[in-house]
C-alpha cells in the first residue's frame, strides 16, 4: 500500500457537525479544549499519549482497520493521532476543520469497544482517549445530529426515544393484555415495592420492539418471579449521553435509574439484552456518580437467564433445532465477562452450536456500538462498509452451517441486521429472549 | 584525546546518571501527584493480582493473541529487549569499569555471547526501522522523533561492537560509544523510552480493570 488516503474521504453530510463547526472560532476551540484537558483529564491521558511508541501493534485489534484493508488511518493509534496527539501537541490551537475530522473519527470510526486495549502491549486505553475527544466535541457543540437528538430526548424525558410518561405505561399494559391471550392472569407488575427483580429496558424496546417486553413477561411469569417494572421515568436504562460526551446528563440518567429501583426497595436490577446500557450502569455511569461498583446489584439478562437454567426455574419443551452461532457483544464480554454464561444458555437451549471465530473477548464488534449506529443515516454507508470483516466472520460461521445468529444486545442487532442485509448473508438474528420464549414450556 | 576520555567517563558520566535517575524520579513523581489529584480511580481499581496476571501474560513470549498474529515482531521484540538490558549490565568491559571505579563486580557474559547479543540489538533496530518504513500502519504513526529514538538506542551498540573489535579509529569510537550511551541514559526520562518504567503501570491498570471489573482476559 502506498501513502494513506487523505484523511477526509468524502464531505460529511451531518447537520449537527456542520452547524456546530460554523459556530466555532479558534479562540473558543482553544478555551474549551484546555478547560476539558485541565479540569477533566490528568495522568491517565498524559500517560496514554506519552507512552505510545507508535509501533502500530494495536492495528490488528481494530475491526475498522481490518475492514478497510489495513488502511493505516483506521488503526487505533491513528485515530489518536488525528485527535488528541495533535490537540495536546498544539495545546488546543487547532482549526475548526481539524475538529470536524476529529468529531467524525471519534463518533463514527470508533465503537469504543476496547478490543485494541487487548492488542496494545502497554494496555493503553484508546477508547478512553476517544471518549475524551467526544467530551471536547460535546462541549464545542459539534455532535452528529441523530445521536444528539437522542441525547436531547434523554434530557427532556429521561428516555432515549421521546416516549411520554403515559405512553410508557400504556405500552406495558398493552403488552400485558396481549400476553394474557397466551397466559391467563399474566401480569406486568408496576411499581411493586420489595420485588426481587426490577426489570429495566432501553427506550427502543417500547418504541420498536415491544414484543421483547411481552416475551420477558412470559419468561418471568413462567419462572414464578417476584418482579416489577417502574411506571415512572428511570425505567429506561439506556444512555446515549454517555456516548455524546454529555457526562452531566449521563449522571442524571443513571441516578434516575438507580433511584427508581431503590425507591421500590427491590433486591436487584435485571437489565434487558442491551450492551451499551450495561456499560452505562456498570462501568461509566456508576463511576461518574462516585460508585466504585453499582450501588445496587445489577445483572444483565444473560446472567438472569443463566440463573433460571442453573436453578431449573424454567423448563423447555424441546431445544431450538436450527444451528446457531453466537455474537459476543463488547460491552458485556470485554465489559463484564459474560461469554461463558452465554454459552451455558446456548447449550441449554440449542441443539447445534457453531462458534464464530474469533470469539469471546476477541470477537469483532458489530460496528454499531459506541453510539455509532445512533449517528444515523449520514454515516450508515460508512458503518456498513466498516462491517466487512464482521461479514466475513458471519459468512464463515454460515459456511459451517449456522443459520441463526444470537446477539444478546440491541445495538448489535441493529448493526448485524444492516451487515447481514448489505452483504447478503441471509442469516436470522435472535435475542436469547426470542429463543427462550420460543421453546419455553408454559407452566399449567 | 585522553582528556576528552577522562571527561566523558568522569563528570559527563556522573551527569548522565544523575539526569537519568533524577529525571526518571521527577517524571514518576509528577505523574503520581497528577494521578492522585485527577485520576483517583486508578488507585481505586489497581489490583496487584490482576495487574501481575496481565503483565505476566504480556511478558511471556507468544502469551497473547496479538503476539501470535505477529510472530516475527514477537521474536524480535523479546530478543531485543532482553539483549538491550543484559549486554550493558554484564558485558566484561563494563563490569571491569565498575570494578576499577567502585571495587564492585559481578557476573560477566562470555565475549562471544555478548558480541552476538549486541548484533541482536543492532539487527532488531534494523527490523524496527524496516517496519517503520515498510508497514503503512506504522509509517502513518511515525514521526522524526521516532527515528531519532531508534538511532539513540542503536548507536551505543553499533559503536560498542566497533570498539570491541578494535576496528580502525577505535579510540575515537570509544568516546562516541561512551557519549552515545550517556545520551541514551539522558533520553530515557524525557522521551518515549520512558515506557520501560511505565509499562508495568499501564499494563497493570488495564489488567486490573479487566480482571476485577470486566472479568475478562486482556491478552
Amino acid at each position: 500500500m502506498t501513502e494513506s488516503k487523505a484523511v477526509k474521504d468524502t464531505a460529511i453530510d451531518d447537520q449537527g457537525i456542520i452547524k456546530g463547526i460554523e459556530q466555532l472560532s479558534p479562540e473558543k476551540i482553544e478555551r474549551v479544549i484546555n478547560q476539558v484537558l485541565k479540569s477533566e483529564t490528568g495522568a491517565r491521558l498524559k500517560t496514554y499519549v506519552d507512552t505510545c511508541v507508535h509501533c502500530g501493534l494495536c492495528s490488528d485489534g481494530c475491526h475498522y482497520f481490518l475492514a478497510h484493508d489495513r488502511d493505516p488511518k483506521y488503526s487505533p493509534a491513528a485515530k489518536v493521532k488525528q485527535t488528541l496527539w495533535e490537540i495536546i501537541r498544539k495545546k488546543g490551537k487547532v482549526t475548526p476543520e481539524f475538529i470536524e475530522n476529529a468529531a467524525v473519527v471519534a463518533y463514527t470510526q470508533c465503537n469504543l469497544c476496547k478490543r485494541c486495549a487487548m492488542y496494545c502491549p502497554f494496555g493503553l486505553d484508546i477508547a478512553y482517549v476517544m471518549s475524551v475527544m467526544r467530551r471536547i466535541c460535546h462541549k464545542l457543540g459539534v455532535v452528529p445530529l441523530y445521536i444528539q437528538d437522542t441525547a436531547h430526548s434523554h434530557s427532556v424525558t429521561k428516555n432515549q426515544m421521546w416516549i411520554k410518561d403515559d405512553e410508557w405505561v400504556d405500552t406495558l399494559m398493552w403488552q400485558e393484555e396481549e400476553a394474557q391471550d397466551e397466559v391467563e392472569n399474566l401480569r406486568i407488575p408496576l411499581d411493586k415495592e420489595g420485588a426481587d427483580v426490577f426489570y429495566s429496558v432501553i427506550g427502543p424496546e417500547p418504541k420498536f420492539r415491544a414484543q421483547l417486553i411481552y416475551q420477558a413477561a412470559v419468561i418471568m411469569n413462567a419462572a414464578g418471579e417476584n418482579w416489577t417494572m417502574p411506571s415512572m421515568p428511570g425505567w429506561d436504562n439506556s444512555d446515549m449521553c454517555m456516548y455524546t460526551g454529555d457526562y452531566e446528563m449521563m449522571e442524571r440518567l443513571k441516578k434516575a435509574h438507580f433511584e427508581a429501583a431503590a425507591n421500590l426497595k427491590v433486591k436487584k436490577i435485571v437489565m434487558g439484552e442491551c450492551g451499551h446500557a450495561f456499560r452505562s450502569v456498570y462501568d461509566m455511569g456508576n463511576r461518574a456518580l462516585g460508585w466504585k461498583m453499582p450501588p445496587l446489584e445489577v445483572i444483565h439478562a444473560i446472567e438472569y437467564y443463566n440463573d433460571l437454567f442453573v436453578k431449573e426455574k424454567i423448563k423447555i419443551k424441546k431445544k431450538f433445532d436450527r444451528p446457531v452461532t453466537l455474537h459476543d457483544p463488547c460491552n458485556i464480554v470485554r465489559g463484564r465477562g459474560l461469554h461463558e454464561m452465554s454459552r451455558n444458555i446456548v447449550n441449554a437451549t440449542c441443539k447445534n452450536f457453531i462458534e464464530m471465530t474469533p470469539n469471546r473477548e476477541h470477537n469483532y464488534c458489530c460496528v454499531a456500538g459506541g453510539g455509532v449506529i445512533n449517528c444515523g443515516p449520514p454515516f450508515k454507508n460508512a458503518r456498513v462498509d466498516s462491517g466487512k470483516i464482521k461479514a466475513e466472520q458471519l459468512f464463515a460461521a454460515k459456511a459451517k452451517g449456522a443459520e441463526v445468529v444470537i446477539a444478546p444486545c440491541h445495538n448489535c442487532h441493529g448493526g448485524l441486521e444492516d451487515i447481514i442485509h448489505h452483504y447478503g448473508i441471509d442469516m436470522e438474528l435472535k435475542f436469547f429472549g426470542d429463543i427462550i420464549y420460543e421453546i419455553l414450556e408454559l407452566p399449567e | 584525546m585522553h582528556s576528552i576520555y577522562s571527561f566523558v567517563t568522569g563528570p559527563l558520566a556522573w551527569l548522565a546518571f544523575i539526569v537519568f535517575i533524577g529525571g526518571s524520579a521527577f517524571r514518576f513523581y509528577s505523574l503520581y501527584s497528577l494521578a492522585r489529584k485527577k485520576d483517583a480511580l486508578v488507585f481505586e481499581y489497581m489490583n496487584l493480582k490482576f495487574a501481575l496476571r496481565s503483565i505476566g501474560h504480556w511478558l511471556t513470549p507468544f502469551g497473547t493473541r496479538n503476539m501470535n498474529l505477529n510472530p516475527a515482531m514477537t521474536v524480535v521484540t523479546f530478543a531485543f529487549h532482553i539483549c538491550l538490558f543484559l549486554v550493558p549490565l554484564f558485558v566484561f568491559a563494563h563490569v571491569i569499569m565498575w570494578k576499577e571505579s567502585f571495587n564492585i563486580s559481578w557476573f560477566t557474559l562470555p565475549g562471544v555471547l555478548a558480541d552476538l547479543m549486541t548484533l541482536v540489538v543492532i539487527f532488531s533496530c534494523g527490523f524496527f526501522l524496516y517496519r517503520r518504513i515498510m508497514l503503512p500502519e506504522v509509517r502513518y504513526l511515525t514521526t522524526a522523533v521516532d527515528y531519532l529514538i531508534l538511532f539513540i538506542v542503536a548507536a551505543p551498540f553499533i559503536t560498542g561492537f566497533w570498539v570491541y573489535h578494535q576496528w580502525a579509529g577505535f579510540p575515537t569510537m570509544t568516546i562516541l560509544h561512551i557519549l552515545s550511551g550517556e545520551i541514551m541514559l539522558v533520553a530515557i526520562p524525557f522521551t518515549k523510552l520512558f515506557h520501560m518504567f511505565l509499562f508495568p503501570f499501564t499494563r497493570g491498570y488495564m489488567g486490573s480493570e479487566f480482571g476485577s471489573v470486566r472479568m475478562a482476559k486482556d491478552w
Side-chain angles (χ1 to χ4, degrees):
Chain A
M1 190 180 292
T2 52
E3 275 302 303
S4 69
K5 282 182 273 178
V7 167
K8 218 160 62 177
D9 283 325
T10 46
I12 55 148
D13 179 25
D14 183 284
Q15 290 306 308
I17 293 181
I18 292 169
K19 297 282 179 209
I21 293 295
E22 279 171 12
Q23 290 166 14
L24 292 182
S25 64
E27 296 73 34
K28 184 178 175 187
I29 293 173
E30 191 183 346
R31 180 169 46 80
V32 169
I33 284 175
N34 286 307
Q35 185 195 8
V36 172
L37 292 186
K38 197 162 181 289
S39 64
E40 298 184 24
T41 71
R44 219 162 24 130
L45 181 68
K46 203 170 156 46
T47 304
Y48 288 157
V49 174
D50 288 351
T51 307
C52 176
V53 295
H54 307 170
C55 68
L57 284 172
C58 54
S59 308
D60 282 308
C62 186
H63 50 283
Y64 280 92
F65 175 80
L66 298 172
H68 287 273
D69 300 323
R70 308 184 73 85
D71 182 342
K73 82 177 159 112
Y74 288 100
S75 91
K79 293 171 199 170
V80 183
K81 177 179 168 164
Q82 294 173 68
T83 55
L84 263 296
W85 284 0
E86 281 300 289
I87 284 179
I88 290 174
R89 196 171 66 83
K90 294 187 172 158
K91 298 191 167 61
K93 290 187 177 60
V94 293
T95 61
E97 292 71 40
F98 179 90
I99 295 293
E100 182 180 341
N101 180 61
V104 172
V105 169
Y107 283 115
T108 73
Q109 294 174 5
C110 173
N111 298 104
L112 308 182
C113 79
K114 290 202 194 253
R115 192 172 186 264
C116 53
M118 303 166 44
Y119 287 74
C120 168
F122 297 108
L124 306 183
D125 190 350
I126 289 172
Y128 167 75
V129 180
M130 288 301 111
S131 302
V132 172
M133 190 63 234
R134 291 185 182 193
R135 175 71 173 157
I136 290 170
C137 289
H138 160 70
K139 289 215 149 195
L140 286 170
V142 182
V143 180
L145 183 70
Y146 282 78
I147 193 170
Q148 185 58 52
D149 178 71
T150 61
H152 286 326
S153 170
H154 276 304
S155 307
V156 176
T157 65
K158 290 216 176 82
N159 71 68
Q160 196 196 123
M161 292 277 130
W162 298 104
I163 295 166
K164 292 177 189 147
D165 290 356
D166 60 330
E167 290 172 346
W168 162 243
V169 178
D170 200 47
T171 304
L172 295 182
M173 292 172 77
W174 163 46
Q175 288 307 310
E176 183 182 70
E177 214 176 294
E178 292 272 310
Q180 280 171 351
D181 283 347
E182 189 181 356
V183 183
E184 212 184 347
N185 299 327
L186 178 141
R187 295 298 313 275
I188 296 181
L190 296 185
D191 299 331
K192 184 177 174 189
E193 249 191 49
D196 293 337
V197 165
F198 172 99
Y199 187 59
S200 66
V201 297
I202 63 169
E205 284 205 20
K207 191 87 174 178
F208 307 119
R209 287 171 174 160
Q211 85 280 4
L212 291 177
I213 298 174
Y214 173 123
Q215 291 173 1
V218 171
I219 295 169
M220 294 267 182
N221 183 70
E225 193 63 76
N226 175 16
W227 70 298
T228 187
M229 291 183 86
S231 69
M232 298 300 284
W235 57 264
D236 181 2
N237 53 30
S238 77
D239 188 352
M240 279 304 131
C241 298
M242 163 176 78
Y243 285 149
T244 61
D246 186 351
Y247 295 156
E248 289 80 4
M249 265 312 299
M250 169 174 78
E251 289 169 27
R252 278 182 62 205
L253 294 172
K254 289 313 104 179
K255 202 165 172 225
H257 180 243
F258 286 132
E259 281 182 353
N263 287 341
L264 291 175
K265 303 180 180 68
V266 295
K267 294 214 176 88
K268 65 176 171 241
I269 299 172
V270 174
M271 303 177 60
E273 292 180 60
C274 180
H276 95 273
F278 195 81
R279 180 196 193 107
S280 165
V281 170
Y282 181 78
D283 176 0
M284 293 184 69
N286 59 313
R287 298 198 213 199
L289 284 170
W291 295 96
K292 185 173 174 182
M293 293 306 255
L296 265 144
E297 187 185 356
V298 183
I299 63 169
H300 187 268
I302 289 176
E303 294 170 274
Y304 180 72
Y305 294 148
N306 180 57
D307 199 52
L308 293 186
F309 286 109
V310 170
K311 294 189 178 146
E312 294 178 4
K313 283 183 169 177
I314 51 173
K315 289 198 183 90
I316 58 171
K317 291 179 283 200
K318 62 176 178 63
K319 283 193 173 181
F320 185 75
D321 53 12
R322 292 167 63 200
V324 301
T325 186
L326 173 70
H327 169 79
D328 289 296
C330 317
N331 285 318
I332 52 172
V333 169
R334 273 185 295 282
R336 180 63 180 79
L338 297 183
H339 40 285
E340 296 307 336
M341 273 190 205
S342 303
R343 281 160 182 76
N344 290 348
I345 302 174
V346 173
N347 290 327
T349 55
C350 301
K351 251 188 193 158
N352 190 352
F353 174 38
I354 294 146
E355 285 278 10
M356 57 173 87
T357 38
N359 55 49
R360 297 178 168 81
E361 288 97 335
H362 290 278
N363 182 38
Y364 296 126
C365 170
C366 60
V367 208
V372 172
I373 194 171
N374 307 77
C375 293
F379 300 99
K380 185 181 171 185
N381 290 340
R383 171 169 58 81
V384 177
D385 287 345
S386 304
K388 200 178 85 183
I389 192 82
K390 186 78 216 175
E392 286 169 12
Q393 188 193 21
L394 291 175
F395 268 124
K398 191 187 173 189
K400 289 187 205 160
E403 293 174 11
V404 173
V405 185
I406 301 175
C409 165
H410 279 88
N411 266 334
C412 297
H413 263 246
L416 294 177
E417 205 170 277
D418 290 338
I419 288 172
I420 288 171
H421 180 73
H422 177 82
Y423 293 92
I425 305 177
D426 192 26
M427 291 173 96
E428 199 182 329
L429 266 171
K430 283 190 186 295
F431 287 98
F432 274 125
D434 295 325
I435 302 240
I436 296 172
Y437 169 74
E438 198 175 319
I439 61 174
L440 187 68
E441 186 178 310
L442 296 174
E444 290 301 313
Chain B
M1 188 63 99
H2 190 71
S3 62
I4 301 178
Y5 181 81
S6 317
F7 179 66
V8 294
T9 53
L12 212 54
W14 279 104
L15 188 68
F17 274 101
I18 289 168
V19 172
F20 165 58
I21 294 166
S24 299
F26 171 76
R27 276 217 49 198
F28 258 119
Y29 173 76
S30 58
L31 276 176
Y32 175 82
S33 47
L34 185 61
R36 274 282 171 212
K37 218 164 85 188
K38 291 284 183 194
D39 307 88
L41 94 165
V42 170
F43 299 94
E44 279 299 320
Y45 291 94
M46 205 56 136
N47 175 307
L48 186 65
K49 181 179 127 195
F50 290 122
L52 292 176
R53 183 180 81 157
S54 177
I55 292 167
H57 275 274
W58 284 90
L59 288 184
T60 306
F62 297 100
T64 71
R65 182 170 192 263
N66 205 13
M67 289 185 203
N68 289 288
L69 291 177
N70 296 280
M73 182 63 173
T74 305
V75 171
V76 174
T77 310
F78 273 93
F80 167 77
H81 282 95
I82 291 167
C83 296
L84 181 73
F85 269 92
L86 294 185
V87 171
L89 288 175
F90 297 107
V91 72
F92 182 74
H94 287 187
V95 175
I96 279 293
M97 291 181 79
W98 288 95
K99 173 86 177 156
E100 282 174 358
S101 305
F102 304 105
N103 198 26
I104 47 170
S105 72
W106 51 79
F107 160 81
T108 61
L109 290 167
V112 181
L113 185 60
D115 218 26
L116 278 175
M117 290 168 81
T118 305
L119 283 176
V120 167
V121 173
I122 297 169
F123 166 81
S124 303
C125 287
F127 177 82
F128 295 146
L129 182 68
Y130 171 84
R131 270 187 99 244
R132 284 220 178 280
I133 296 168
M134 298 308 291
L135 292 192
E137 70 266 32
V138 190
R139 188 173 59 228
Y140 185 85
L141 303 170
T142 299
T143 63
V145 176
D146 293 320
Y147 289 117
L148 182 66
I149 289 174
L150 202 51
F151 178 72
I152 287 176
V153 173
F157 291 85
I158 296 170
T159 52
F161 191 75
W162 192 295
V163 170
Y164 178 74
H165 290 278
Q166 309 213 341
W167 291 339
F170 86 90
T172 313
M173 210 40 109
T174 306
I175 287 166
L176 286 179
H177 173 64
I178 298 164
L179 262 178
S180 62
E182 288 163 353
I183 289 171
M184 179 158 123
L185 272 183
V186 169
I188 288 171
F190 306 108
T191 62
K192 289 185 183 294
L193 293 178
F194 201 60
H195 74 254
M196 65 184 270
F197 291 122
L198 290 179
F199 165 77
F201 297 94
T202 54
R203 189 76 257 167
Y205 180 67
M206 194 44 78
S208 303
E209 273 268 342
F210 268 76
S212 59
V213 180
R214 308 176 175 282
M215 298 171 194
K217 298 184 296 185
D218 66 329
W219 54 84

